[in-house]
Amino acid sequence: MTEALKTFKGYRSFGLKGEVRDEVGSAIDLHVDREGHCAGTYTRFHGVTRFVIIGDRAWSIYDEKTLNGSVVDAQFVGPEAVAAAKGAIAKARGKYVESSAAELTAQIAFSLCRMDTAYEGVPASVTTAEHSNPRTKNGEQRVALTHTVKDGEVVVHVPKTGRPTPHGIEFEIADTPVVVDVYDVGVPVEPQRPDASNVVKAEDVRGLDPFAK
């Protein structure tokens, strides 16, 4: 398990696909590197957000289900929030919403794009590990190696035979379980900055989040 953890902690880039087990259960599929690049999709209540992060800037584009969810949320706040949500939707529909990367990655699912901080709770080595029975995933026999940490566990999924290459990992961010497969290791992450004509500023569509303070 220590070899698997050291390998994972040493990656310069990779893809992650799985779920963030927050209060609603969110799915994430992204590619990230240590140079501040990240791109992928985030799914919540079947609504899909596509996002791009380059350095200190981030861009998110929402599908219709996600946009309409803003109106549903706003109904719990009041008529003014509903009106603000509808106005923001009209501006954001089919556009990328630009924000700071810090603002976007403050959310747990998107914090996986911060290779410098997201995996601090994953140890680089362990002194004990439990070994599961093999299970088949994606046509491969894998075993789960589990180590208990403070208030939780870290689990690494590796092939049954050969080098213990981490093909999946489970850990927690702010007490929220994250369960993801690891793939596309070492593949360059080269997200494209959206064209300025297809971008709106986050401050102009604040009504999308009626609960924002």
Side-chain angles (χ1 to χ4, degrees), residues 52-93:
V52 173
I53 297 175
I54 302 174
D56 63 353
R57 305 307 295 168
W59 297 266
S60 304
I61 186 167
Y62 310 107
D63 68 357
E64 202 66 23
K65 185 177 288 292
T66 302
L67 291 173
N68 290 337
S70 296
V71 176
V72 175
D73 290 341
Q75 291 173 347
F76 292 98
V77 179
E80 291 185 2
V82 171
K86 290 180 177 179
I89 288 171
K91 294 178 182 178
R93 181 174 283 115

Side-chain angles (χ1 to χ4, degrees), residues 100-123:
S100 70
E103 181 179 357
L104 185 64
T105 58
Q107 301 176 54
I108 289 177
F110 297 104
S111 71
L112 293 170
C113 287
R114 293 289 306 275
M115 288 187 73
D116 57 336
T117 59
Y119 312 101
E120 289 179 336
V122 178

Side-chain angles (χ1 to χ4, degrees), residues 171-200:
F171 62 106
E172 291 187 0
I173 299 177
D175 298 324
T176 300
V178 175
V179 181
V180 288
D181 285 333
V182 182
Y183 68 106
D184 283 354
V185 172
V187 175
V189 183
E190 300 174 339
Q192 298 299 308
R193 185 187 184 104
D195 189 90
S197 63
N198 199 34
V199 170
V200 296

Side-chain angles (χ1 to χ4, degrees), residues 90-103:
K91 294 178 182 178
R93 181 174 283 115
K95 302 282 188 178
Y96 281 88
V97 177
E98 182 178 357
S99 64
S100 70
E103 181 179 357

Side-chain angles (χ1 to χ4, degrees), residues 7 12 38 160 162 164 196 201:
T7 297
R12 303 299 302 177
C38 191
K160 177 184 176 183
K201 299 292 187 180

Side-chain angles (χ1 to χ4, degrees), residues 145-165:
L145 305 175
T146 303
H147 176 72
T148 300
V149 295
K150 183 179 179 181
D151 300 325
E153 296 178 335
V154 172
V155 183
V156 182
H157 299 266
V158 301
K160 177 184 176 183
T161 59
R163 294 191 62 185
T165 303

